[in-house]
Amino acid sequence: MAESLALLSFGETGWGDELAAGAWLTIRLALATLPFGLVLGFLIALAKVSGEPALRRGANIYTTIFRGVPELLTLFIVYYGGQIALQAFIGLFTDTYVEVSGFVAGMIALALVFSAFSSEVFVAALKAIPKGQGEAAWALGMSRRATLQSVILPQLIRLALPGLSNLWLILLKETALVSVIALDDLLRRTSVAVGNTKEPFLFYMVACLIYLAFSLISAFGLGKVERWTRRGEAR
Amino acid sequence: MRTAYVSERMLKPQPAPLQKARGWGAARIGGTLGTAFWALIGLAILVNFIIGYDHDFVARYAPRMLGGLWTTVWIVAVSLVLGALLSMLITAARLSQNRAVAGIGFAYVTFFRGTPLLAQVFLVYYGSGEFRAFFEAIGLWWFFREAIYCALFTFTLNTAAYQAEIYRGAIQSVPDTQREAGWALGLPRKVIFRQIIAPQAMTIALRPLGNEIIIMIKGSAIASVITVFDLMGETRLAFSRSFDFQVYLWAALMYLALVETLRRIWDALETRLTHHLER
């Protein structure tokens, strides 16, 4: 027990600070992905409910692809494919070697997947808002933009939040995949620690518990926010 | 005297009114560009395959990747079935009146749903090596020594947790009055569950269960990280040997085909089984 604690302590001999740095990167990656995934997902959702068939088709193909391909494969395609494409593009001008940052590749891949799923949540929420709301705003002479901003969005957030919180929890766990492309997230740091200490069970269990703590804290916080958004509803 | 209610004179058939031409607004331009983009990518993959057709390359890797696809299918199928069996136990524990038992069920579900599948796979695969003496003593080392069995084991535990939540939610959403009606008829508890609760719960569970199957197919790609040669594993091997990026795109198409086929089958199944509920 004391040995385990020594291994997990912060400082020169313990791995605590390495794990903490990894956990911090995991959080940063998830938080950096979130806004892109949300905005992209919302735009895709708007395309899906649009009256224009071509737009709907394009958006539906997008979601079919990114919901059907494994996240790990999406990550590899973005990471290696991005590398090849960028190298080819840079190669047109100079012959310097460029490397795609694992963080950015991870962020793009996770945002693509997140947006595909979040667009479904947004579509369901948009459809749940009664048509009369938009029509009333129209009748009042509000512009489309004003309608979206002050009539649709406030209701949308309330309806979409449960689905989005679920997606956030999934995203948090999916960040673990970036450890495969050698980005120093929590899981990768844990693997390094295991390689050095030969204590796989202890370290992977600690990593699991850290992820679990993140999940529980997020679930608790999001539950509070959800209750706050529903404060105006009759019980 | 009979009155003829049939009109004497019929209108001549008319062509449908002309449809108003759709204008080329921003939405239509954007949508067409987007659709064209996807079509172009599909075409590029196809053209690249045909023009750059390399018989040796295809002969070497195509059978391996198909074999990998088969491995993916059976790992997922076996772990889903075993997970379903295990999840029955967990659901029973979750719904138990005994608080300690319910607590254990809750802890199990929370742990497996709250941590990444990849971390769980590492925990089982690398962690089991630490207990080698123990597993050898109970004669299970042959199982935990193989990466593929470790993946299977972890996937089973993982999907059991998710499936347990699905079944629990479904059982709880069957109205209490159903159970009470069964009681009033004097039916034994077993019959009430089997004949009244379970069929209704399964109808509710159908949709989330279909999602879980798809999540497992996609999640099984993780097995490749611990050297299992499923579709993803074979693809990574092919890429590391040939540095031909195409293999990743083929793999994506294969996964896509698998997931889409399953989704369609599941939709048809659901329509058929919930036909009586439709209005």
Side-chain angles (χ1 to χ4, degrees):
Chain A
M1 193 67 213
E3 258 175 72
S4 305
L5 280 180
L7 280 176
L8 291 171
S9 68
F10 284 66
E12 283 292 303
T13 53
W15 291 88
D17 39 352
E18 277 83 358
L19 294 190
W24 175 229
L25 189 123
T26 290
I27 294 178
R28 270 190 338 211
L29 181 61
L31 284 178
T33 305
L34 188 65
F36 293 103
L38 282 177
V39 171
L40 201 58
F42 185 61
L43 293 178
I44 302 276
L46 285 185
K48 275 187 184 175
V49 297
S50 130
E52 172 58 47
L55 208 54
R56 287 203 302 267
R57 201 179 311 121
N60 281 330
I61 297 174
Y62 179 93
T63 35
T64 308
I65 290 177
F66 289 109
R67 285 194 321 165
V69 176
E71 292 79 4
L72 190 60
L73 188 50
T74 310
L75 182 64
F76 279 10
I77 288 177
V78 170
Y79 186 59
Y80 294 118
Q83 178 77 53
I84 292 168
L86 198 68
Q87 190 68 66
F89 181 70
I90 298 281
L92 294 177
F93 309 107
T94 68
D95 48 355
T96 43
Y97 177 74
V98 286
E99 199 166 338
V100 172
S101 133
F103 190 89
V104 174
M107 220 173 89
I108 293 174
L110 290 173
L112 289 174
V113 177
F114 187 93
S115 64
F117 281 94
S118 69
S119 75
E120 293 288 290
V121 173
F122 282 128
V123 165
L126 280 173
K127 284 189 177 158
I129 296 174
K131 241 185 160 174
Q133 298 281 335
E135 286 167 355
W138 203 33
L140 287 172
M142 288 169 77
S143 69
R144 273 177 67 172
R145 199 192 164 139
T147 310
L148 195 65
Q149 247 175 30
S150 16
V151 179
I152 304 295
L153 265 182
Q155 304 187 61
L156 188 77
I157 290 170
R158 193 169 63 194
L159 289 165
L161 202 60
L164 293 179
S165 345
N166 218 353
L167 290 180
W168 162 255
L169 294 177
I170 294 174
L171 172 66
L172 208 54
K173 288 183 280 167
E174 268 171 6
T175 55
L177 295 178
V178 298
S179 62
V180 182
I181 55 167
L183 188 59
D184 278 329
D185 77 325
L186 174 55
L187 196 58
R188 166 105 180 144
R189 296 265 187 179
T190 311
S191 296
V192 171
V194 167
N196 279 293
T197 59
K198 306 283 177 262
E199 292 267 2
F201 191 79
L202 170 74
F203 276 103
Y204 284 124
M205 190 48 111
V206 167
C208 279
L209 292 178
I210 294 174
Y211 278 111
L212 189 61
F214 288 165
S215 296
L216 291 178
I217 292 168
S218 312
F220 179 76
L222 287 165
K224 286 228 148 165
V225 176
E226 260 169 55
R227 267 197 298 286
W228 176 77
T229 57
R230 274 187 278 130
R231 70 199 180 286
E233 278 173 25
R235 259 160 279 253
Chain B
M1 193 178 139
R2 290 234 273 337
T3 322
Y5 287 109
V6 181
S7 74
E8 306 252 314
R9 203 165 46 86
M10 300 279 275
L11 283 176
K12 281 220 179 88
Q14 310 259 331
L18 280 177
Q19 221 149 45
K20 244 169 81 182
R22 281 191 301 143
W24 277 90
R28 190 165 175 202
I29 294 172
T32 312
L33 282 180
T35 313
F37 173 72
W38 293 122
L40 215 65
I41 287 187
L43 206 67
I45 294 177
L46 195 70
V47 167
N48 201 12
F49 179 67
I50 294 171
I51 291 179
Y53 188 79
D54 178 350
H55 183 73
D56 283 352
F57 182 73
V58 174
R60 192 176 311 147
Y61 295 114
R64 295 205 60 152
M65 281 176 72
L66 286 174
L69 183 65
W70 172 240
T71 310
T72 293
V73 169
W74 83 254
I75 289 184
V76 171
V78 171
S79 52
L80 277 170
V81 171
L82 293 180
L85 295 178
L86 181 59
S87 72
M88 303 285 162
L89 261 170
I90 302 160
T91 312
R94 281 282 265 143
L95 295 170
S96 162
Q97 301 290 327
N98 186 328
R99 291 188 91 174
V101 174
I104 292 171
F106 177 75
Y108 179 91
V109 168
T110 312
F111 180 81
F112 280 100
R113 284 171 27 119
T115 56
L117 183 58
L118 187 58
Q120 293 166 17
V121 169
F122 282 168
L123 184 67
V124 169
Y125 183 56
Y126 297 114
S128 63
E130 211 172 308
F131 303 101
R132 182 174 174 172
F134 170 72
F135 285 126
E136 273 175 345
I138 59 169
L140 276 178
W141 179 240
W142 61 271
F143 184 87
F144 287 99
R145 195 182 50 195
E146 298 290 337
I148 193 161
Y149 292 137
C150 282
L152 196 70
F153 181 70
T154 320
F155 291 169
T156 304
L157 295 184
N158 183 276
T159 187
Y162 282 94
Q163 287 188 42
E165 272 310 271
I166 293 171
Y167 296 135
R168 184 186 64 89
I171 289 172
Q172 281 180 340
S173 63
V174 175
D176 269 345
T177 46
Q178 297 283 329
R179 194 186 323 259
E180 286 160 13
W183 255 1
L185 288 171
L187 295 176
R189 277 184 55 174
K190 226 181 192 169
V191 176
I192 294 181
F193 184 76
R194 275 203 205 147
Q195 305 281 331
I196 300 174
I197 310 288
Q200 298 187 64
M202 281 316 284
T203 335
I204 299 168
L206 215 52
R207 176 132 291 245
L209 218 50
N211 289 339
E212 172 62 16
I213 294 176
I214 288 172
I215 290 173
M216 277 307 291
I217 293 175
K218 291 167 60 190
S220 71
I222 279 174
S224 68
V225 180
I226 56 164
T227 70
V228 173
F229 287 104
D230 65 337
L231 177 51
M232 188 73 194
E234 292 288 1
T235 310
R236 290 178 67 179
L237 183 74
F239 181 70
S240 67
R241 284 191 183 160
S242 65
F243 287 105
D244 189 339
F245 188 67
Q246 275 185 72
V247 289
Y248 278 127
L249 301 177
W250 295 354
L253 289 179
M254 279 171 159
Y255 273 111
L256 209 55
L258 187 61
V259 166
E260 273 303 290
T261 317
L262 244 149
R263 205 169 59 84
R264 300 262 152 109
I265 293 175
W266 205 263
D267 276 356
L269 191 77
E270 204 190 355
T271 321
R272 197 176 161 76
L273 290 179
T274 60
H275 198 62
H276 60 290
L277 296 174
E278 268 170 35
R279 268 160 257 259

